[in-house]
Amino acid sequence: MKVASADGTESDVVVDAVSGGVTSSSPEADQDAGDRRETADRLGKAKVSWQDAASTALGRTKGTITSLGLDDMDDGTLVWSVDVVTTNDWNKTTYDVDAADGSVKREHVDRD
């Protein structure tokens, strides 16, 4: 996974799927000061935490979160995009949770 710290530094982190332990972590090699500043700015604009966005998604669909990231919608709204997979049918539901107020802006189910 990719993890960003408050100063905008992004790191690649490998997590063991069974134990949940971190097996390795290293900062992105090609990230310059401008990239870090842009990432830190986006993180600073998010008033809703990733934990709250995850709870919102899991409150709507019981399953496992397979992806969670900070994205921009077409209208410029900053959202936490949360993918939840259900093990009974393996459908993936993506929730775009507004990073400013916690409302769900979009819900999309992928049944492939």
Side-chain angles (χ1 to χ4, degrees):
M1 72 178 80
K2 187 175 291 200
V3 177
S5 61
D7 73 353
T9 301
E10 294 182 11
S11 297
D12 290 320
V13 179
V14 178
V15 177
D16 183 291
V18 175
S19 71
V22 173
T23 60
S24 69
S25 175
S26 60
E28 285 282 317
D30 62 346
Q31 192 179 26
D32 63 23
D35 294 334
R36 286 190 298 277
R37 196 170 31 257
E38 182 179 327
T39 299
D41 183 50
R42 292 180 81 220
L43 288 171
K45 290 178 182 176
K47 302 305 177 205
V48 173
S49 71
W50 66 266
Q51 297 96 328
D52 288 340
S55 292
T56 296
L58 290 174
R60 290 183 173 230
T61 299
K62 301 302 178 213
T64 301
I65 294 175
T66 58
S67 177
L68 191 149
L70 198 54
D71 292 320
D72 291 306
M73 294 184 72
D74 290 338
D75 67 358
T77 302
L78 186 64
V79 295
W80 290 106
S81 183
V82 185
D83 291 345
V84 179
V85 174
T86 52
T87 55
N88 61 331
D89 56 14
W90 298 105
N91 289 336
K92 176 181 79 172
T93 305
T94 301
Y95 293 97
D96 289 335
V97 180
D98 192 306
D101 65 17
S103 64
V104 175
K105 295 296 189 184
R106 184 180 77 94
E107 176 180 336
H108 174 75
V109 179
D110 186 357
R111 292 179 167 73
D112 291 345

